[in-house]
Amino acid sequence: MILAENLAAIQQRIRAACGRVDREPNSITLLAVTKTHPPETIQAAADLGLLLFGENKVQEAKAKIPNCPGKARWHFIGHLQSNKCRDAVELFEMIQSVDSLALAQEINKRADAAAKTMRVLLEVNVAGEASKFGYQPEQMLAELKELNALPRLEIHGLMAIPPFTPVPEKSRPHFQMLRELKARAETVLGAPLPVLSMGMSDDFEVAIEEGSTMIRVGTALFGPRAMKGDL
Ligand SMILES: *Cc1c(COP(=O)(O)O)cnc(C)c1O
């Protein structure tokens, strides 16, 4: 079965990358990105032991998640609009894409109404691309204490989507910058941030070499998407 083979190949790539930098393969969390894929695909992945999934659109997730195995856990990895925060808080165990204080405040408000604590990552625009969402690094550091003071939010770390390139090595400086930024954020907070979410199908080995703790993999697991999910 192709999914099983794809998963085995990814696990082999994870082990090889970890071997090069003396890291434990089980320190890397694999988030299976299921955008555009139907519940049957998620069921097949769950049968192979994958239980952590990523979606980038609230509407799509809202329709899909009720038809997926109840033991599946979901991370939101797309751009979140404030009018979708209530649904996002309900559907996801983590929102990886917090990129403004206003959005964080809205999530906090919705989490409070749902009597929940929401785990989040702060998304950083590592290359300063005008077309991309994400905090500018200095802005994130400047707002960090205020973000951390929101009672219904738990900041677990940072996430980034570097510019697309067919050459994985070109992502390395962006991954390095996110790792260094995490260290600065930890200094500001005086506490460790356990999660560095970086690396996708084509470049996750480089991300692991640079300290990623969570790779977000779609295409290498499930094959090409019929519809291109927007990043
Ligand atoms: C689609 C997507 C991924 C997965 O990309 P692949 O190249 O298919 O592995 C990872 N992260 C985010 C935020 C995405 O939107």
Side-chain angles (χ1 to χ4, degrees):
M1 185 208 175
I2 192 88
L3 181 55
E5 287 166 23
N6 289 349
L7 177 59
I10 290 164
Q11 285 165 337
Q12 179 50 41
R13 286 170 62 189
I14 294 172
R15 279 195 297 275
C18 284
R20 287 194 288 277
V21 288
D22 204 16
R23 295 186 63 193
E24 281 295 324
N26 63 15
S27 68
I28 314 296
T29 300
L30 173 61
L31 179 77
V33 177
T34 48
K35 62 192 185 198
T36 77
H37 296 293
E40 296 72 48
T41 303
I42 289 124
Q43 180 65 59
D47 292 343
L48 294 172
L50 281 171
L51 290 174
L52 190 62
F53 299 104
E55 287 283 332
N56 72 334
K57 293 202 171 89
V58 173
Q59 281 312 106
E60 183 181 340
K62 199 176 173 180
K64 190 185 294 186
I65 291 176
N67 299 312
C68 292
K71 59 189 173 175
R73 293 151 47 215
W74 299 88
H75 284 204
F76 188 71
I77 58 173
H79 178 62
L80 185 57
Q81 290 165 304
S82 60
N83 64 354
K84 302 277 168 59
C85 285
R86 190 187 358 187
D87 283 336
V89 161
E90 199 174 304
L91 293 164
F92 296 97
E93 74 163 29
M94 181 180 273
I95 296 171
Q96 296 207 2
S97 44
V98 172
D99 63 359
S100 73
L101 186 56
L103 178 62
Q105 286 165 335
E106 184 63 22
I107 295 169
N108 182 69
K109 184 171 121 189
R110 296 301 179 178
D112 192 52
K116 266 182 96 166
T117 301
M118 198 68 223
R119 300 174 183 187
V120 303
L121 303 181
L122 305 177
E123 180 178 356
V124 179
N125 187 346
V126 279
E129 292 171 280
S131 62
K132 281 261 178 78
F133 294 106
Y135 260 115
Q136 298 305 316
E138 297 306 322
Q139 181 81 10
M140 184 276 287
L141 290 170
E143 292 183 0
L144 193 50
K145 282 194 166 151
E146 210 170 335
L147 290 163
N148 195 45
L150 293 168
R152 294 293 189 169
L153 247 59
E154 261 176 28
I155 302 173
H156 283 243
L158 304 183
M159 183 272 250
I161 310 166
F164 174 78
T165 160
V167 185
E169 197 56 38
K170 287 196 176 154
S171 297
R172 190 180 297 277
H174 303 299
F175 293 145
Q176 284 170 343
M177 118 85 104
L178 196 69
R179 184 190 64 215
E180 285 159 16
L181 199 58
K182 184 167 91 73
R184 289 176 68 194
E186 288 169 333
T187 304
V188 171
L189 292 174
L193 293 170
V195 182
L196 205 47
S197 172
M198 59 187 198
M200 312 196 333
S201 287
D202 293 331
D203 60 9
F204 70 73
E205 287 104 325
V206 179
I208 287 171
E209 289 169 19
E210 296 302 333
S212 174
T213 69
M214 184 179 290
I215 58 174
R216 309 178 308 266
V217 179
T219 310
L221 255 182
F222 303 117
R225 288 177 286 275
M227 256 187 301
K228 272 271 175 213
D230 63 326
L231 283 178

